[in-house]
Amino acid sequence: MLRELESRNSAGRSPRRWALTRCEAVMRDVCESFEAELHRFNGEGDHVHPLVHYPPKVALSKLANSLKGVSSRYLRAEYTGRINRIGTGSVFWSPSYFAGSCGGAPLSIVKDYIENQKHPA
């Protein structure tokens, strides 16, 4: 199943380019541990857009929880000074996420949408 997940930063702040680059790498590793594939990744404003293909045996809620939890732990550990200055408090991601199935749209359209999100400065 191919889905686009959207996760918002709890502070509503723009993820920095360095954070997006590292977040993508961490989320790619998490996907591999679920036998899933991160097709595309981008961020805009206060959220990220990972396009993930995952097997039917994987519960979407567990995948989303791991993507958010693992990325939060790694980003906080590796960028303590920068993350704390962003002002996210004790929570990096909001507790919610959006997942949309992309089965009806051509994959090229979904990939273009994700790639054309505005990058933070």
Side-chain angles (χ1 to χ4, degrees):
M1 181 166 293
L2 194 63
R3 292 201 183 226
E4 179 187 10
L5 304 174
E6 180 177 303
S7 290
R8 294 194 172 275
N9 180 286
S10 65
R13 307 216 180 194
S14 175
R16 305 299 194 264
R17 187 173 301 276
W18 52 263
L20 281 177
T21 300
R22 181 61 178 134
C23 189
E24 178 180 5
V26 171
M27 288 191 173
R28 190 171 302 283
D29 290 344
V30 170
C31 284
E32 288 177 10
S33 73
F34 277 85
E35 298 176 10
E37 182 182 353
L38 183 64
H39 277 271
R40 291 287 187 269
F41 180 90
N42 209 336
E44 178 183 359
D46 60 353
H47 58 281
V48 296
H49 290 264
L51 180 63
V52 180
H53 182 261
Y54 61 96
K57 67 181 180 180
V58 173
L60 177 59
S61 60
K62 289 186 180 194
L63 176 60
N65 186 54
S66 287
L67 288 169
K68 293 168 73 168
V70 174
S71 63
S72 175
R73 283 191 300 278
Y74 273 87
L75 289 171
R76 286 178 175 281
E78 295 172 14
Y79 301 105
T80 302
R82 294 183 192 179
I83 297 290
N84 292 343
R85 283 196 300 264
I86 292 173
T88 58
S90 63
V91 178
F92 188 77
W93 297 111
S94 73
S96 62
Y97 65 90
F98 167 80
S101 176
C102 303
L107 187 55
S108 62
I109 299 295
V110 178
K111 287 179 180 179
D112 285 345
Y113 170 76
I114 291 172
E115 289 175 353
N116 291 315
Q117 298 297 303
K118 295 177 186 170
H119 280 293

